[in-house]
Amino acid sequence: MKDVFKSTQIADKVHWVGAIDWPVRDFHGYRTTRGSTYNAYLILAEKVTLIDTVKAPFVDELLARIASVIQPDRIDYIICNHAEPDHAGSLAKVIEAVKPQAVFASKMGARALQQLYRLDCVQAVADGQEIPLGDMRLTCAETRMCHWPDSMVTYLHDRQLLFSQDIFGMHLAGYERFADQVAPRVLDEEAAKYYANILLPLSGFVAKALDKLSAMDVPLSIIAPDHGPIWRDEPRREAPNRGKSRSEHRIVASYARWARQERTDKAVVVYDTMWKSTDLMARAVGEGLAAGGARARLLPMSGSHRSDVATEILDAGGLIVGSPTINGQMFPSLADVLSYLTGLGPKGLVGGVFGSSGWSKEATKQLQAAMEQMEVELVGPPVNATYLPTDKDLGDCYKLGLDVAARIAR
Ligand code: FEO
């Protein structure tokens, strides 16, 4: 395989040796429309070091890419920045093939690797610990809960290169290894989707991780995450009061914005319909939002995936939900998406509820309870229609849109 699956050099003596998962479409509930990559990196220092591995089914691809550069048994150290199976699922097999002198992880990582894979050979490194590689050196920095308690990043001083594990990643399969080779629209979409679906509930930890990286006071010429393309070639600026050149990566600025959960004038209407009554109400809400100056996005759950809804809500100011009542319940699609969104925990939303029913109104009561659990600030009581919405019902939906717009439009 090594004559087919080759490495990509990303810096002097640093190679990408990961795997490309073209067909994957589900990542624990997140629809990965464009596939993914599991990135691993080989540092050809005096102590040859492998940073992370890949999902278990891709171990041969990883070993082949390593073998295209160096015999795998020349690897001295393996560093596991994150124990989740998409990065450490093949670690046991790689250790068996390589027989490294040492395997390093964070303290929580060493514990997780034992609990997940029964690996007892992992040495725990302290937060901030340096690992000398002979002619190069790495520093490890814990980034707990970005994405799991074990998560850490490693910084290669000699190349100003941060191995950032899940942070700054995206699910995007491709042969383009660098972000500047990918269409900006695709980068923006997939980076936001990744943050919304993986890191949003951990935004407080993300903010701490960004502060920690900033406090390390090191230049970041290259950011190499564990998924998707590698960030390089960003514009530079002179850092005030420091008198030295600093990198300014757009992805870092985006993370700072997302971690603050900055809201915009966008309002998302998430709904489903049985006989088109709730659909008609949703469209009346949308007209009211637009008339009030908000940017309305209607997402019928018949054609929307929960992970796309989460992405739209990442920077939205408004969330309005609607459902018919079926068998005394909200539609299953609404129950699914609201359960998912409650887990992601977006903050600072303004919203409302609407729905139609024949002889009972359970759906809107359940929607309201779900929105209150999510701490969405409701602008008024639910709008209910019986069977077919009347002109008054549609007027109330229009007003609901206007009222939400009044709170978020600029
Ligand atoms: Fe890409 Fe948290 O694993």
Side-chain angles (χ1 to χ4, degrees), residues 160 219-222 233-238 245-248:
Q160 302 182 351
L220 300 179
S221 293
I222 299 175
D233 289 339
E234 296 285 329
R236 288 170 173 274
R237 67 181 165 85
E238 289 301 312
S245 178
R246 309 286 293 179
S247 301
E248 196 172 58

Side-chain angles (χ1 to χ4, degrees), residues 12-222:
D12 184 26
K13 295 187 176 180
V14 184
H15 293 251
W16 173 87
V17 289
I20 307 173
D21 191 348
W22 287 98
V24 66
R25 288 294 179 272
D26 180 82
F27 194 90
H28 50 55
Y30 161 1
R31 189 168 68 177
T32 48
T33 318
R34 292 183 169 109
S36 194
T37 66
Y38 314 113
N39 298 337
Y41 301 96
L42 188 66
I43 305 170
L44 300 176
E46 285 173 18
K47 290 290 186 186
V48 178
T49 301
L50 178 66
I51 306 282
D52 289 321
T53 64
V54 296
K55 207 174 184 178
F58 296 88
V59 65
D60 290 341
E61 182 174 336
L62 168 73
L63 291 171
R65 291 194 199 276
I66 294 169
S68 74
V69 186
I70 194 168
Q71 280 305 308
D73 62 6
R74 294 270 313 278
I75 292 173
D76 298 293
Y77 297 156
I78 300 175
I79 296 176
C80 177
N81 278 332
H82 184 19
E84 196 166 6
D86 49 331
H87 309 298
S90 62
L91 181 56
K93 281 193 175 171
V94 175
I95 291 171
E96 195 182 314
V98 166
K99 296 182 179 52
Q101 292 173 23
V103 181
F104 300 106
S106 68
K107 188 176 163 194
M108 300 290 277
R111 186 186 304 171
L113 291 168
Q114 202 288 327
Q115 291 170 327
L116 269 165
Y117 313 108
R118 306 292 179 254
L119 287 171
D120 295 312
C121 60
V122 181
Q123 294 183 33
V125 291
D127 185 25
Q129 185 174 325
E130 279 200 8
I131 300 180
L133 307 181
D135 54 339
M136 299 191 208
R137 72 188 164 108
L138 285 164
T139 293
C140 303
E142 288 183 0
T143 51
R144 288 191 183 193
M145 298 311 298
C146 303
H147 162 223
W148 275 11
D150 62 278
S151 294
M152 70 173 188
V153 298
T154 40
Y155 181 73
L156 182 61
H157 294 264
D158 313 84
R159 300 293 179 271
Q160 302 182 351
L161 197 164
L162 181 74
F163 299 104
S164 64
Q165 50 97 27
D166 277 347
I167 307 171
F168 308 129
M170 68 183 73
H171 288 306
L172 177 63
Y175 295 112
E176 296 79 14
R177 289 279 68 79
F178 298 99
D180 50 89
Q181 299 167 328
V182 179
R185 179 183 60 81
V186 174
L187 288 179
D188 290 347
E189 271 178 32
E190 294 300 339
K193 189 173 186 180
Y194 189 89
Y195 190 94
N197 286 275
I198 301 286
L199 293 170
L200 179 63
L202 309 165
S203 288
F205 295 99
V206 173
K208 280 184 192 166
L210 294 178
D211 286 346
K212 189 169 196 169
L213 289 176
S214 179
M216 283 171 71
D217 196 25
V218 290
L220 300 179
S221 293
I222 299 175

Side-chain angles (χ1 to χ4, degrees), residues 319 321 330 334-349 351-353 364-378:
L319 171 63
V321 293
M330 71 172 92
L334 265 295
D336 177 282
V337 73
L338 286 173
S339 166
Y340 190 69
L341 292 177
T342 301
L344 294 177
K347 305 287 182 219
L349 288 163
V353 168
T364 49
K365 289 178 198 159
Q366 292 164 2
L367 291 176
Q368 183 172 2
M371 294 284 269
E372 285 169 357
Q373 190 184 350
M374 289 169 58
E375 300 179 352
V376 177
E377 189 185 338
L378 299 175

